[in-house]
Amino acid sequence: MTAIRLPQGLARRIPVRQILCLLPLALVLVVAVRHRSVLVEGFAHLATAQWPWLVAAVCATCLTWVAAAVTRQGSLVERLPALRLLATQFAAGAANHLLPTGLGASAVNLRFMTVCGVSLARSSAALALYLLAESIARVGLLLALLVAFPGALRLGALLPDRAVAPLLITVAAVLCVAVAVLLLVRRLRTAVFGFVHTALSEARSVHTRPTRVLALWGGSLAFPALQAAGLVMVGLALGLHVPVAHMVVAYLAATVAVALVPTPGGLGSVDAALVVALVAAGGPVAVATAVVLAYRIITLWLPLLPGALTLGALVRLKVI
């Protein structure tokens, strides 16, 4: 296999780092233009809302970045620089809305840890531990609330009886294919087993330190709880007559349901799932739609531009 190298003079003339700094801003512009009608309607709903609840929703959104930073630190034994870690989570939020299925945030955090001197294998293991802990916490919180409030969702509206069997068959088929590929492809099997060994070693090291355990699992629980609190506050601001606990359940159910949908930041899929979940919790369709649009303005669109600027600045400063 022959390596192809650019001439040295040409490589110097291409401002790679400057291009990487401007790329997030260009992507923000593209996304905003494509969803301009959603932006206009969402801001219109915000104008009619009760502002104290909106301020509380903004505060809850800001605290989600703190919770994410705490969880990231909890997944790694080495101490990361706190302020740069927090700025990275803010920038990762913007990257996450521009790339599908969490790839943006994962790439930003992986790069940040490697720049901080953590090996790529251990950075990947810490990333996997973070994702696993966050998933367990989110699903566990949802199950606990469903047990406490069994009537929070009319699940038949979300998942008709006829859809259960095809869904189970699809999940089983995907799992069988994944296992078969893993067993048949030797290189893939070796790589996966090596990664699992590294991840388990990292997880054991983290769980020998009480402060890391508290950060990992406390942050993992706080993150979805704060996200749900933001939705509740927007619902209260717009007069959505649904019990608070039911709104929390609706949020968790919607985000769990769309976790595997490969859209940037859940654009479209999360919005639709949230509306359906809020209606299943007993809210009127029109008000539920208004709440979701306003909530996504606060949590997605308002931080998107400053997050992209922060991302560009971190690239330029070689933090990531």
Side-chain angles (χ1 to χ4, degrees):
M1 188 172 179
T2 305
I4 300 176
R5 297 182 180 180
L6 290 174
Q8 189 173 2
L10 178 61
R12 289 178 180 176
R13 288 197 297 270
I14 299 176
V16 176
R17 190 162 291 276
Q18 286 79 0
I19 292 174
L20 291 176
C21 292
L22 294 175
L23 183 59
L25 299 180
L27 291 175
V28 168
L29 180 61
V30 171
V31 173
V33 170
R34 289 182 59 189
H35 297 85
R36 56 187 178 276
S37 60
V38 175
L39 288 171
V40 172
E41 189 173 353
F43 277 111
H45 290 306
L46 286 177
T48 63
Q50 300 179 34
W51 66 266
W53 288 117
L54 293 182
V55 172
V58 171
C59 292
T61 300
C62 293
L63 288 175
T64 59
W65 301 316
V66 178
V70 170
T71 312
R72 298 281 183 189
Q73 178 60 84
S75 65
L76 191 67
V77 173
E78 285 87 346
R79 185 170 183 82
L80 299 171
L83 290 179
R84 279 185 282 172
L85 176 60
L86 182 59
T88 301
Q89 302 319 301
F90 183 53
N96 208 39
H97 295 310
L98 300 174
L99 293 174
T101 323
L103 292 178
S106 297
V108 169
N109 279 284
L110 193 63
R111 175 63 181 169
F112 173 68
M113 286 186 283
T114 54
V115 169
C116 289
V118 184
S119 67
L120 181 59
R122 295 187 59 243
S123 297
S124 302
L127 180 62
L129 180 58
Y130 169 87
L131 295 173
L132 178 63
E134 203 275 335
S135 300
I136 291 174
R138 186 179 296 268
V139 174
L141 188 59
L142 172 61
L143 294 176
L145 288 173
L146 284 174
V147 171
F149 304 96
L153 287 179
R154 297 192 297 271
L155 294 178
L158 290 174
L159 191 64
D161 293 336
R162 293 182 180 179
V164 174
L167 178 62
L168 293 177
I169 292 172
T170 302
V171 171
V174 170
L175 290 176
C176 290
V177 170
V179 171
V181 171
L182 183 62
L183 293 176
L184 294 175
V185 182
R186 183 177 180 181
R187 289 186 178 180
L188 178 62
R189 184 171 65 252
T190 302
V192 170
F193 286 167
F195 173 76
V196 169
H197 180 267
T198 303
L200 290 175
S201 299
E202 191 68 24
R204 282 195 295 268
S205 300
V206 165
H207 284 84
T208 60
R209 299 170 179 251
T211 54
R212 293 293 186 267
V213 174
L214 180 62
L216 176 64
W217 294 103
S220 295
L221 284 170
F223 185 70
L226 287 167
Q227 289 180 320
L231 179 67
V232 168
M233 292 167 188
V234 174
L236 294 174
L238 291 174
L240 179 63
H241 298 297
V242 173
V244 169
H246 293 198
M247 280 193 272
V248 174
V249 171
Y251 175 82
L252 294 172
T255 53
V256 168
V258 302
L260 299 178
V261 178
T263 58
L267 289 174
S269 60
V270 170
D271 301 348
L274 281 174
V275 172
V276 171
L278 287 175
V279 171
V285 176
V287 181
T289 303
V291 168
V292 171
L293 289 174
Y295 173 72
R296 294 291 272 175
I297 288 289
I298 291 174
T299 59
L300 194 162
W301 295 106
L302 289 181
L304 193 55
L305 180 57
L309 291 171
T310 303
L311 180 60
L314 293 177
V315 171
R316 187 170 184 82
L317 294 172
K318 300 182 180 180
V319 174
I320 57 176

